[in-house]
mmCIF file of all heavy atoms in Angstrom:
data_model
loop_
_atom_site.group_PDB
_atom_site.id
_atom_site.type_symbol
_atom_site.label_atom_id
_atom_site.label_comp_id
_atom_site.label_asym_id
_atom_site.label_seq_id
_atom_site.Cartn_x
_atom_site.Cartn_y
_atom_site.Cartn_z
ATOM 1 N N ARG B 4 228.614 118.432 -4.095
ATOM 2 C CA ARG B 4 227.628 117.930 -5.051
ATOM 3 C C ARG B 4 227.160 119.130 -5.877
ATOM 4 O O ARG B 4 225.985 119.450 -5.928
ATOM 5 C CB ARG B 4 226.430 117.217 -4.433
ATOM 6 C CG ARG B 4 226.909 115.877 -3.851
ATOM 7 C CD ARG B 4 225.749 114.925 -3.765
ATOM 8 N NE ARG B 4 224.966 115.319 -2.563
ATOM 9 C CZ ARG B 4 223.650 115.613 -2.554
ATOM 10 N NH1 ARG B 4 222.955 115.718 -3.645
ATOM 11 N NH2 ARG B 4 223.051 115.886 -1.445
ATOM 12 N N ARG B 5 228.092 119.858 -6.481
ATOM 13 C CA ARG B 5 227.667 120.983 -7.311
ATOM 14 C C ARG B 5 226.824 120.500 -8.496
ATOM 15 O O ARG B 5 227.333 119.730 -9.271
ATOM 16 C CB ARG B 5 228.862 121.804 -7.750
ATOM 17 C CG ARG B 5 229.115 122.940 -6.929
ATOM 18 C CD ARG B 5 230.166 123.866 -7.580
ATOM 19 N NE ARG B 5 231.443 123.223 -7.428
ATOM 20 C CZ ARG B 5 232.480 123.708 -6.733
ATOM 21 N NH1 ARG B 5 232.291 124.907 -6.146
ATOM 22 N NH2 ARG B 5 233.599 123.275 -6.615
ATOM 23 N N SER B 6 225.709 121.075 -8.663
ATOM 24 C CA SER B 6 224.908 120.714 -9.887
ATOM 25 C C SER B 6 225.519 121.462 -11.028
ATOM 26 O O SER B 6 225.367 122.616 -11.134
ATOM 27 C CB SER B 6 223.524 120.947 -9.511
ATOM 28 O OG SER B 6 223.395 122.380 -9.305
ATOM 29 N N ARG B 7 225.998 120.653 -11.953
ATOM 30 C CA ARG B 7 226.425 121.277 -13.171
ATOM 31 C C ARG B 7 225.173 121.695 -14.078
ATOM 32 O O ARG B 7 224.183 120.960 -14.183
ATOM 33 C CB ARG B 7 227.174 120.376 -13.955
ATOM 34 C CG ARG B 7 228.197 120.990 -14.870
ATOM 35 C CD ARG B 7 229.136 120.030 -15.569
ATOM 36 N NE ARG B 7 229.737 119.102 -14.580
ATOM 37 C CZ ARG B 7 230.460 118.145 -14.807
ATOM 38 N NH1 ARG B 7 230.816 117.969 -16.049
ATOM 39 N NH2 ARG B 7 231.021 117.299 -13.928
ATOM 40 N N VAL B 8 225.185 122.995 -14.497
ATOM 41 C CA VAL B 8 224.012 123.393 -15.253
ATOM 42 C C VAL B 8 224.150 122.805 -16.666
ATOM 43 O O VAL B 8 224.851 123.482 -17.415
ATOM 44 C CB VAL B 8 223.921 124.821 -15.173
ATOM 45 C CG1 VAL B 8 222.599 125.243 -15.727
ATOM 46 C CG2 VAL B 8 223.902 125.358 -13.699
ATOM 47 N N SER B 9 223.486 121.878 -17.038
ATOM 48 C CA SER B 9 223.544 121.310 -18.370
ATOM 49 C C SER B 9 222.753 122.092 -19.304
ATOM 50 O O SER B 9 222.060 122.989 -19.013
ATOM 51 C CB SER B 9 223.086 119.808 -18.323
ATOM 52 O OG SER B 9 221.653 119.801 -18.016
ATOM 53 N N GLU B 10 223.124 121.736 -20.617
ATOM 54 C CA GLU B 10 222.333 122.502 -21.628
ATOM 55 C C GLU B 10 220.884 122.359 -21.601
ATOM 56 O O GLU B 10 220.143 123.292 -21.738
ATOM 57 C CB GLU B 10 222.899 122.173 -22.914
ATOM 58 C CG GLU B 10 223.967 123.025 -23.440
ATOM 59 C CD GLU B 10 224.283 122.898 -24.975
ATOM 60 O OE1 GLU B 10 223.359 123.177 -25.735
ATOM 61 O OE2 GLU B 10 225.386 122.591 -25.228
ATOM 62 N N GLU B 11 220.463 121.090 -21.366
ATOM 63 C CA GLU B 11 218.946 120.871 -21.256
ATOM 64 C C GLU B 11 218.338 121.718 -20.193
ATOM 65 O O GLU B 11 217.200 122.300 -20.230
ATOM 66 C CB GLU B 11 218.601 119.527 -21.038
ATOM 67 C CG GLU B 11 219.335 118.427 -22.050
ATOM 68 C CD GLU B 11 220.535 118.007 -21.346
ATOM 69 O OE1 GLU B 11 220.437 117.226 -20.320
ATOM 70 O OE2 GLU B 11 221.729 118.241 -21.840
ATOM 71 N N GLU B 12 219.049 121.767 -19.121
ATOM 72 C CA GLU B 12 218.669 122.533 -17.892
ATOM 73 C C GLU B 12 218.449 123.983 -18.217
ATOM 74 O O GLU B 12 217.474 124.655 -18.010
ATOM 75 C CB GLU B 12 219.613 122.444 -16.713
ATOM 76 C CG GLU B 12 219.310 123.227 -15.522
ATOM 77 C CD GLU B 12 218.274 122.390 -14.780
ATOM 78 O OE1 GLU B 12 217.869 121.251 -15.035
ATOM 79 O OE2 GLU B 12 217.690 123.089 -13.656
ATOM 80 N N ILE B 13 219.419 124.491 -19.017
ATOM 81 C CA ILE B 13 219.370 125.875 -19.356
ATOM 82 C C ILE B 13 218.250 126.153 -20.277
ATOM 83 O O ILE B 13 217.432 127.133 -20.109
ATOM 84 C CB ILE B 13 220.737 126.248 -20.113
ATOM 85 C CG1 ILE B 13 221.966 126.299 -19.078
ATOM 86 C CG2 ILE B 13 220.551 127.627 -20.788
ATOM 87 C CD1 ILE B 13 223.205 126.570 -19.679
ATOM 88 N N ASN B 14 218.056 125.288 -21.317
ATOM 89 C CA ASN B 14 216.956 125.463 -22.180
ATOM 90 C C ASN B 14 215.674 125.465 -21.605
ATOM 91 O O ASN B 14 214.757 126.094 -21.875
ATOM 92 C CB ASN B 14 217.080 124.374 -23.390
ATOM 93 C CG ASN B 14 218.108 124.804 -24.364
ATOM 94 O OD1 ASN B 14 218.275 125.927 -24.751
ATOM 95 N ND2 ASN B 14 218.879 123.814 -24.804
#
Side-chain angles (χ1 to χ4, degrees):
Chain B
R4 288 202 280 123
R5 261 190 284 242
S6 59
R7 204 173 314 180
V8 188
S9 60
E10 264 196 58
E11 311 94 64
E12 179 80 8
I13 291 177
N14 283 318

